[in-house]
Amino acid sequence: MKKLYTILLISISSLFIAFSSFAAPLKVGFVYLTTPGDHGWTYAHERARVILEEKFGDKIETTYVENVPEGPDATRVIRELANQGNQLIFTTSFGYMDPTIKVAKEFPDKHFVHVTGYKRSDNVATSNIRFHEGRYIQGVAAGLMTKSNKIGYIASFPIPEVIMGINAFTQGLKSVNSDATVSVIWAMTWYDPGKEADAAKVHIAEGADVLAQHTDTPAMLQTAEEKGAYGFGQGSDMESFAPKAQLFASVNHWDISYIEHIEAALDGTWAAKAAGGNWDTWCSMKDNCLSVTELKNMPADATAKVQAVADSISSGSFDVFQGPIITNEGKVVAGGATLNDGDLWGMNYYVQGVIGKIPN
Amino acid sequence: MLELIIAVILSSIPIMLAATGELVVERSGVLNLGVEGMMLMGAVIASITVITTGSLFLAVIFGALSGLLTSIVFGFFALVLATNQVATGLALTIFGTGLSGLIGAEYVGKAIQRLEAFNIPILSNIPYLGPVLFSHNILVYFSFIIVFIVGWFLLKTKSGLVLRAVGNNHDSAHALGYSVVFIRFCSVMFGGLMAGLGGAFLPLVLTPHWAEGMTAGKGWIALALVVFASWRPLRIPIGALLFSGITVMQLVGQARGWAMPSQFLSMLPYLATIAVLVIISRNKEFSIINAPASLGKLFIAGK
């Protein structure tokens, strides 16, 4: 009799454990550089997180930590998220690369996805978007819309991704307007609305009539709107800030690659996919990771040309780093060939059409 | 060129206003490091006001008042309860940053109507001088006027003398029968009002939207400006214009492709500030005499 009870108890409790492990949602953590209030970079990640919650419902449970500085603090926050039982952790800024690798070593059973980095391991995958595709299209639009043939570009920090963006933009610009040049101001910050606005004013005072940016706020576009210049939204649609100035915006869709990671984590295939540091996603317009908003404020023929370029990139039939690629010092990097991903990450030159030198 | 000078003047206003307020606070012997937090509160409340009511006038008033309200928190702890001023000020910055982010969350991503500049009749038609000096929005004129009013008040009136006395030696001022805490509380509130106004200037004029942490360190620049001005009000606009002038100049240098590393150019405004501070501090008459002797010291009545 006693034995029967024991068996019953064991079976019930094992049933309970089995049931609870089925019902327990997958815990997913996010580390944000700023807050969703930036209306740019982090805002795009937050939008993806909300899409994930809607899609997976009670199968997942997400948490996020905002305003995490890149550095030792990040290590602490990522470790804390792992300790809290988050099985899958997304770290959403370049500077979290080493902290992510470090914490991942301490938690070999947990899954980590680092955004925009290049270091991977058995349990660290990377995810990135080919932002430069959107910037090429911006360059085409800028080349068609400029009257002064001077384009102002506001950049953040001289890292490969930003340089890639400037070069892609300029390749697009040169494809339709060989007289136009790009002047670059390095703001040395991702986020300072006042400085971004000042940089935009300076570009316009120096004669630029189309502006592009690799910083995070709508300040540049608002200045363009005030002064009657054109510009592009970056990261998310900024039309409400500059209805007359925004030609279009490049919008990031992180949910596409995040969904893949969550599905793999849910069906238990994540570890196998990432094994050996082999899971890297660098997805493009073709994969719907990047899109451009409706083209506006352009004459019909320019709209048609820009749309055609956008279509050829999103169908995958055109690569924005198709040669010839010539540096602004006259060196031929690629004659007719297309640059491969390794070439892109090693980019340390400006292409023809950009004024000045890259700060080192 | 005119465009650039106008840009310099506009971007100097927020730090000029906040620094003018902080100067009065420090002259009364109180160090309030919460300027950044008060500016953010001013910025967020001004944004919310203009989005919900559409009134720029109310936005300016409420923005300034919210800075004042935030400073009351500081005043209560640092003056009434006599807590450490440095710690309380830092806490106020953290508090203001967090609270402004929280209450502003719903208003992110909304464009704001800009406070328009207007041309002063006749004067604005003067070539060159007109556009630079006489076609701004009302807050720009106000900022310069308030600097002169503060200068006159501090150096030429009896109340200003009392305020400075409290800042130089609170025990003597107390012995003479002046209410140290009351006078300091009034100064702190004036500082809050100015910081709130400076904060409100950001979304209403410079970048017409609310973004979390949009001051991006301007509160700290304002604090440095007070030292830069060696506690003399009329030097505040000079410092503010110099700082934003060099900031804009380094952007111009980059746009024109000057052969200088842009990291160096970005450092220039701060280097210039340090250089001027070094020069000022070499001259004892300039600095030591004006520095309030009781700055940052705790005051407990009857002790």
Side-chain angles (χ1 to χ4, degrees), chain A residues 51 155 205 219 224 316:
Chain A
I51 293 174

Side-chain angles (χ1 to χ4, degrees), chain A residues 50-70:
Chain A
V50 172
I51 293 174
L52 297 177
E53 288 222 313
E54 280 165 10
K55 182 178 164 65
F56 292 100
D58 46 13
K59 278 196 248 168
I60 62 169
E61 185 186 316
T62 64
T63 33
Y64 63 88
V65 186
E66 52 184 31
N67 277 326
V68 180
E70 301 176 326

Side-chain angles (χ1 to χ4, degrees), chain B residues 45-46 49-50 52-65 200 204:
Chain B
I45 295 297
T49 310
V50 79
T52 51
T53 69
S55 162
L56 286 160
F57 175 75
L58 284 181
V60 171
I61 301 293
F62 287 168
L65 286 180
L204 297 182

Side-chain angles (χ1 to χ4, degrees), chain B:
Chain B
M1 192 61 198
L2 288 183
E3 287 270 310
L4 292 177
I5 297 173
I6 294 168
V8 168
I9 294 175
L10 285 178
S11 66
S12 72
I13 298 297
I15 49 177
M16 193 189 300
L17 283 168
T20 306
E22 178 69 12
L23 184 138
V24 173
V25 177
E26 291 192 14
R27 269 295 175 100
S28 78
V30 182
L31 183 64
N32 183 356
L33 296 180
V35 181
E36 181 90 355
M38 298 188 294
M39 286 180 86
L40 279 169
M41 287 305 293
V44 74
I45 295 297
S47 306
I48 294 175
T49 310
V50 79
I51 289 170
T52 51
T53 69
S55 162
L56 286 160
F57 175 75
L58 284 181
V60 171
I61 301 293
F62 287 168
L65 286 180
S66 61
L68 186 145
L69 279 176
T70 320
S71 72
I72 289 178
V73 177
F74 173 86
F76 177 72
F77 282 100
L79 301 175
V80 178
L81 302 181
T83 57
N84 179 298
Q85 291 177 7
V86 171
T88 312
L90 287 174
L92 193 72
T93 284
I94 298 167
F95 170 74
T97 309
L99 185 63
S100 63
L102 184 70
I103 59 180
E106 275 177 59
Y107 299 90
V108 165
K110 294 199 168 94
I112 289 176
Q113 188 193 347
R114 203 188 279 260
L115 186 61
E116 293 299 336
F118 64 90
N119 296 329
I120 295 181
I122 306 167
L123 287 176
S124 64
N125 294 331
I126 305 171
Y128 303 111
L129 227 52
V132 171
L133 295 181
F134 303 111
S135 42
H136 288 292
N137 63 68
I138 185 90
L139 281 178
V140 175
Y141 303 118
F142 174 79
S143 310
F144 283 94
I145 293 168
I146 198 80
V147 170
F148 284 95
I149 293 178
V150 164
W152 167 79
F153 170 81
L154 278 180
L155 304 172
K156 303 281 182 216
T157 67
K158 187 177 174 238
S159 310
L161 182 68
V162 172
L163 189 148
R164 284 186 287 134
V166 166
N168 277 324
N169 191 330
H170 48 217
D171 292 321
S172 308
H174 177 68
L176 285 171
Y178 294 113
S179 169
V180 173
V181 171
F182 175 76
I183 291 166
R184 286 186 169 172
F185 216 113
C186 292
S187 312
V188 164
M189 289 197 299
F190 177 75
L193 194 75
M194 288 293 105
L197 197 57
F201 193 84
L202 300 170
L204 297 182
V205 180
L206 290 180
T207 52
H209 66 269
W210 160 248
E212 245 188 274
M214 70 187 299
T215 48
K218 289 194 171 57
W220 300 107
I221 305 282
L223 277 160
L225 260 184
V226 177
V227 185
F228 179 99
S230 49
W231 293 274
R232 300 290 290 264
L234 299 189
R235 290 181 191 152
I236 294 271
I238 299 171
L241 287 168
L242 186 71
F243 185 84
S244 63
I246 295 173
T247 305
V248 169
M249 194 194 76
Q250 69 93 359
L251 297 173
V252 174
Q254 289 198 45
R256 292 189 180 167
W258 287 355
M260 254 188 278
S262 52
Q263 288 98 333
F264 176 76
L265 290 172
S266 291
M267 259 164 36
L268 262 185
Y270 304 94
L271 280 182
T273 310
I274 293 170
V276 174
L277 284 178
V278 168
I279 295 166
I280 287 175
S281 61
R282 287 185 67 83
N283 185 338
K284 295 280 180 264
E285 270 178 50
F286 256 55
S287 53
I288 308 298
I289 287 181
N290 292 320
S294 298
L295 183 60
K297 289 186 185 146
L298 282 185
F299 171 77
I300 296 159
K303 198 195 80 173

Side-chain angles (χ1 to χ4, degrees), chain A residues 137 141 246-249 292-298 302-308 310:
Chain A
I137 305 168
Q246 181 179 291
L247 300 176
F248 64 86
V292 295
T293 59
E294 194 189 332
L295 309 177
K296 287 189 176 163
N297 299 321
M298 283 186 272
T303 307
K305 275 185 195 165
V306 175
Q307 191 62 55

